[in-house]
């Protein structure tokens, strides 16, 4: 039976050559195995067919390499809605304003008319606090800023110029809004500052203005640093900083690239984070379509914008939506909204815009849950328990002892019962080296007995 075993082994191998297989057939025949020749013919044909299918299968598209994100986002994540005039930017922002979390949920905080605080959709957090019924509920939220329209030459002061660009410097991520429609929702011609509709051109104008502003910001810091290093060539820290800054300047100014797409080491990343460059900020591209085009999911610009993003900004996302349709939806009753969406076989995109804008920064949540408060906290993916605890208060990080942890998925699996989670061994005590996971439910234990070291 050795020959038959060889045949079976050869036939199971997806990469076996016909020559190897034929050798196994010969061995089967020499051993006198019954039916070896007939089985061989059938298996041989099977291997040939499998080989052909393998050759015909299309190659899987390679994913862009994951980049280390720049910036230092806090629990209060901020995004700027950016675009040229008359692209639907303010309409999009006004929809977000109507979704705003009430200001009274955030003591000592006045909401500016150009600022909207929008809850990040999270069905799991909703399920958690509905079960616990605490006195207070604080979800994750995204603070969005309506930034005045950008025009060509803004880096030199055109339009609102410096005021516009300084507002962007305060945010963690940017929503780039471009439009594909020629007419307004009322059927009138929609004017454009460049006299024509071309979302790819608009993206290039925005990119160039942000990049030019960054060049100015780098040079403003780099030139005095050059003089300092010239006076004291032995100052290693300043020399290293200047070296990093010159590499960044070459990338942004000479090679005309955006900072977030460079290959930076740890020291260079620290310098970039100190500079707060506009092209360092993660971006989400929002393509504003007419209601008709959105419902039929067709427009001549969609493919061109997608190709531009894939080539110029690999790894970043595009969402197409209709601000005109979303504005109608936000003013409807729940029943009217459901009826409209069902009838037109479509969905609202605003929740996706908020969620994707939030998660484009590679952020995750952990929850604290108790009878007084359920709260969603925002941290960067990859943080250890003490650093995550510091999001609540710096004393939690400084005096960290341990974290009592269980994950939402385990809580849900065990009928939303913490006691059952404990019985299943899913409720754990973790130390300083614990890597916090998305949707962990955590109770931190800490002790601070001495004043913070100065």
């Amino acid at each position: 039976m050795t020959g038959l075993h060889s045949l079976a082994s050869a036939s199971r191998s997806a990469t076996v050559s016909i020559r190897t297989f034929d050798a196994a057939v010969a061995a089967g025949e020499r051993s006198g195995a019954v039916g070896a020749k007939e089985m061989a013919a059938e298996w041989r044909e099977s291997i040939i067919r499998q080989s052909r299918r393998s050759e015909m299968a299309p190659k899987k598209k390679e994913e862009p390499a994951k980049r280390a994100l720049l910036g230092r986002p806090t629990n209060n994540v901020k995004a700027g809605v950016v675009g040229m005039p008359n692209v639907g930017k303010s309409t999009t922002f006004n929809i977000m304003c109507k979704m705003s979390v009430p200001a009274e949920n955030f003591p000592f905080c006045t909401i500016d008319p150009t600022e909207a605080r929008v809850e990040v959709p999270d069905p799991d957090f909703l399920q958690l606090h509905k079960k616990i019924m605490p006195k207070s509920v604080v979800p994750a939220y995204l603070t969005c800023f309506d930034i005045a329209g950008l025009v060509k030459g803004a880096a030199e002061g055109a339009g609102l110029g410096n005021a516009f660009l300084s507002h962007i410097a305060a945010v963690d991520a940017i929503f780039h809004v471009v439009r594909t429609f020629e007419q307004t929702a009322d059927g009138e011609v929609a004017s454009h500052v460049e006299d024509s509709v071309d979302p790819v051109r608009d993206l290039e104008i925005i990119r160039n203005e942000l990049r030019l502003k960054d060049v100015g910001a780098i040079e403003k810091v780099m030139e005095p640093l050059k003089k300092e290093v010239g006076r004291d060539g032995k100052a290693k820290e300043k020399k290293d900083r200047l070296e990093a800054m010159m590499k960044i300047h070459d990338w942004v100014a000479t090679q005309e690239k955006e900072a977030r797409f460079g290959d930076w080491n740890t020291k260079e990343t620290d310098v970039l984070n100190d500079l707060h460059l506009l092209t360092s900020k993660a971006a989400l591209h929002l393509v504003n379509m007419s209601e008709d085009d959105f419902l039929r999911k067709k427009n001549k610009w969609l493919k061109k914008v997608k190709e531009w993003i894939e080539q110029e900004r690999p790894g970043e996302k595009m969402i197409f939506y209709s601000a005109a349709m979303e504005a109608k939806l936000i003013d409807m009753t729940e029943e009217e909204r459901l009826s409209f969406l069902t009838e037109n076989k479509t969905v609202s995109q605003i929740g996706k815009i908020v969620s994707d804008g939030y998660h484009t920064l590679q952020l995750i949540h952990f929850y604290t849950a108790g009878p007084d408060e359920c709260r969603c906290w925002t941290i960067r993916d990859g943080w250890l328990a003490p650093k995550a605890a510091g999001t609540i208060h710096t004393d939690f990080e400084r005096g960290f002892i341990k974290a009592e942890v269980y994950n939402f998925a385990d809580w849900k699996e065990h009928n939303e019962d913490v006691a059952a989670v404990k019985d299943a061994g899913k409720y754990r005590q973790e130390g300083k080296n614990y890597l916090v996971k998305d949707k962990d439910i955590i109770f931190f234990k800490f002790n601070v007995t001495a004043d913070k070291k100065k």
Side-chain angles (χ1 to χ4, degrees):
M1 294 298 287
T2 305
L4 280 178
H5 287 158
S6 299
L7 279 171
S9 175
S11 70
R12 284 193 298 268
S13 172
T15 58
V16 70
S17 69
I18 293 299
R19 184 179 296 175
T20 304
F21 185 79
D22 287 343
V25 171
E29 289 176 344
R30 284 196 301 272
S31 69
V34 178
K37 196 167 185 177
E38 291 76 8
M39 291 173 68
E42 184 180 340
W43 286 345
R44 192 176 196 278
E45 285 302 313
S46 174
I47 289 174
I48 292 171
R49 286 196 301 271
Q50 186 176 356
S51 176
R52 284 174 181 164
R53 281 198 300 270
S54 177
E55 288 170 5
M56 290 169 64
K59 287 185 178 179
K60 196 172 182 180
K61 192 174 180 181
E62 286 186 14
E63 291 290 327
K66 197 173 183 180
R67 303 185 313 275
L69 280 179
L70 303 174
R72 301 180 178 116
T74 63
N75 192 51
N76 179 13
V77 184
K78 300 173 184 177
V81 185
V82 172
M84 301 187 77
N86 303 323
V87 295
K89 177 179 59 63
S90 291
T91 303
T92 303
F93 177 79
N94 289 336
I95 294 164
M96 292 178 175
C97 280
K98 291 181 179 180
M99 296 167 60
S100 254
V101 176
E104 58 266 24
N105 285 3
F106 302 91
F108 316 112
C109 182
T110 302
I111 304 296
D112 188 88
T114 58
E115 181 180 339
R117 202 173 249 123
V118 189
E119 183 176 339
V120 178
D122 186 349
D124 293 344
F125 182 67
L126 180 65
Q127 183 178 345
L128 179 68
H129 73 70
K130 278 191 172 181
K131 173 67 176 179
I132 294 174
M133 299 290 287
K135 295 175 185 175
S136 170
V137 174
V138 184
Y141 62 90
L142 180 69
T143 303
C144 295
F145 295 87
D146 184 17
I147 296 171
L150 172 71
V151 296
K152 190 185 291 185
E156 281 76 45
L160 292 176
N162 291 332
F164 163 86
L165 293 163
S166 64
H167 289 156
I168 303 180
V171 304
D172 302 303
I174 298 176
F175 290 150
H176 287 276
V177 182
V178 293
R179 85 176 214 215
T180 65
F181 57 87
E182 304 275 354
Q183 295 182 324
T184 66
D186 301 326
E188 297 179 2
V189 175
S191 63
H192 193 290
V193 72
E194 291 291 320
D195 295 324
S196 64
V197 174
D198 185 341
V200 172
R201 175 205 58 209
D202 292 354
L203 283 169
E204 288 175 343
I205 288 174
I206 293 170
R207 175 179 66 174
N208 197 47
E209 293 304 323
L210 300 186
R211 186 187 62 78
L212 289 173
K213 187 67 177 177
D214 281 351
V215 172
I218 297 165
E219 290 176 349
K220 188 177 179 180
V221 178
M222 189 171 70
E223 293 308 316
L225 190 57
K226 278 183 180 177
K227 292 177 182 176
E228 289 180 33
V229 172
R231 287 193 298 267
D232 184 7
K234 294 181 181 179
K236 188 178 184 307
E237 189 176 328
K238 289 180 180 178
K239 205 171 179 179
D240 290 345
R241 188 173 179 81
L242 177 61
E243 190 177 310
M245 208 163 288
M246 289 177 74
K247 180 181 173 182
I248 295 164
H249 183 268
D250 175 70
W251 179 260
V252 178
T254 309
Q255 298 186 51
E256 300 186 353
K257 301 286 184 66
E258 296 178 279
R260 65 186 178 279
F261 296 108
D263 185 14
W264 314 111
N265 61 32
T266 304
K267 285 184 179 179
E268 291 158 357
T269 298
D270 288 341
V271 171
L272 277 163
N273 287 339
D274 290 340
L275 288 169
H276 302 289
L277 298 183
L278 307 180
T279 61
S280 291
K281 300 179 187 301
L284 180 66
H285 305 84
L286 309 182
V287 183
N288 187 11
M289 308 166 68
S290 69
E291 183 177 328
D292 288 344
D293 282 356
F294 177 76
L295 291 176
R296 66 192 184 98
K297 303 289 187 287
K298 285 184 181 179
N299 184 279
K300 66 179 182 180
W301 288 107
L302 292 181
K303 185 180 178 183
K304 294 175 183 178
V305 173
K306 184 173 183 291
E307 287 173 349
W308 186 88
I309 294 169
E310 287 175 350
Q311 182 177 337
E312 302 293 331
R313 290 173 169 171
E316 294 190 341
K317 289 185 178 180
M318 172 186 95
I319 297 176
F320 60 89
Y321 73 114
S322 170
M325 188 193 85
E326 298 291 348
K328 281 168 54 176
L329 287 171
I330 203 77
D331 289 330
M332 291 179 182
T333 64
E334 189 63 37
E335 188 178 339
E336 289 171 337
R337 190 180 302 117
L338 184 60
S339 174
F340 178 89
L341 295 174
T342 304
E343 183 181 334
N344 290 282
K345 297 178 181 178
T346 191
V347 292
S348 169
Q349 293 287 79
I350 289 295
K352 179 176 173 59
I353 288 170
V354 173
S355 183
D356 281 13
Y358 187 87
H359 290 292
T360 196
L361 291 163
Q362 292 179 14
L363 301 172
I364 62 171
H365 303 150
F366 73 86
Y367 307 136
T368 50
D372 290 328
E373 181 184 81
C374 269
R375 189 164 188 144
C376 188
W377 301 90
T378 301
I379 61 171
R380 267 270 171 91
D381 193 5
W383 280 16
L384 298 179
K387 193 169 184 179
T391 308
I392 301 174
H393 195 284
T394 52
D395 282 352
F396 279 44
E397 181 175 6
R398 192 158 60 94
F400 179 89
I401 298 173
K402 63 183 176 182
E404 295 183 0
V405 185
Y406 58 102
N407 195 269
F408 175 86
D410 296 322
W411 177 78
K412 184 178 179 180
E413 184 184 338
H414 291 86
N415 301 314
E416 304 176 351
D417 184 357
V418 178
V421 173
K422 288 181 178 179
D423 290 343
K426 301 289 187 178
Y427 191 106
R428 310 175 310 280
Q429 292 190 352
E430 301 286 359
K432 292 182 177 182
N433 294 322
Y434 176 67
L435 190 69
V436 176
K437 297 176 180 61
D438 192 28
K439 301 185 180 178
D440 272 348
I441 302 167
I442 307 179
F443 176 73
F444 291 106
K445 291 193 173 181
F446 73 104
N447 182 33
V448 178
T449 55
D451 292 336
K452 186 178 179 180
K453 292 180 182 178
K454 294 182 180 179

